[in-house]
Amino acid sequence: MEQLKAILRSGSCRGVARSAQGEIRRFERRGVADLFALVTDEPGFLCGASVADKVIGRGAALLLLKGGAREVYAEVISSGALGVLRSAGVEVSFGAQVANIINRTGTDICPVEKLTAGTSSPDEAYGLIKEFLKGKDL
């Protein structure tokens, strides 16, 4: 995990994942777009993986569960995300815990955090996020 934190702190990406086999994937886009793409396009990659990210909200946490992540570090994590990950037995560490992730304009709760507030199912969250991301310029 220390290697992943160092990559994250270098400022070269928004997040980074290391598979159980040692392969590294960096997240460059904002929000959950890269994580969603990884779960969709390489469904086995996160199984047993370690992930470090700048911000993890409930939607990202549920995607991490869907992928099978084993260990997670977040610079900032929402209470909902922390609860989801800990309930599933994922090893979690973080810099700061906040009640909710706030949207990019700072005016409301993050839309993906809101979208996934009513579910604890990784599969249901995946479907909701998939619909949310449709047609977005990512």
Side-chain angles (χ1 to χ4, degrees), residues 6-66:
I7 292 169
L8 185 66
R9 291 178 180 143
S10 74
S12 64
C13 60
R14 295 182 179 276
V16 60
R18 182 181 57 232
S19 73
Q21 294 73 36
E23 292 179 72
I24 300 275
R25 298 284 186 280
R26 294 173 189 249
F27 305 149
E28 307 293 338
R29 297 180 281 182
R30 295 180 80 158
V32 297
D34 285 328
L35 183 56
F36 180 83
L38 187 60
V39 170
T40 301
D41 301 338
E42 296 181 67
F45 185 88
L46 287 173
C47 188
S50 298
V51 178
D53 208 323
K54 291 188 183 285
V55 178
I56 296 181
R58 188 176 180 90
L62 288 162
L63 288 174
L64 289 166
L65 290 186
K66 181 163 178 62

Side-chain angles (χ1 to χ4, degrees), residues 64-136:
L64 289 166
L65 290 186
K66 181 163 178 62
R70 173 183 60 84
E71 177 184 26
V72 174
Y73 168 79
E75 288 184 349
V76 176
I77 192 166
S78 73
S79 297
L82 185 59
V84 161
L85 292 168
R86 283 190 172 157
S87 292
V90 175
E91 186 179 322
V92 184
S93 58
F94 55 90
Q97 180 182 347
V98 296
N100 294 293
I101 303 304
I102 302 302
N103 67 14
R104 294 175 190 163
T105 60
T107 58
D108 198 2
I109 295 171
C110 162
V112 175
E113 184 103 342
K114 277 182 168 180
L115 185 68
T116 57
T119 185
S120 293
S121 163
D123 290 333
E124 184 179 353
Y126 177 86
L128 292 168
I129 294 167
K130 182 177 182 179
E131 284 302 311
F132 175 78
L133 293 176
K134 268 187 186 172
K136 297 239 186 273

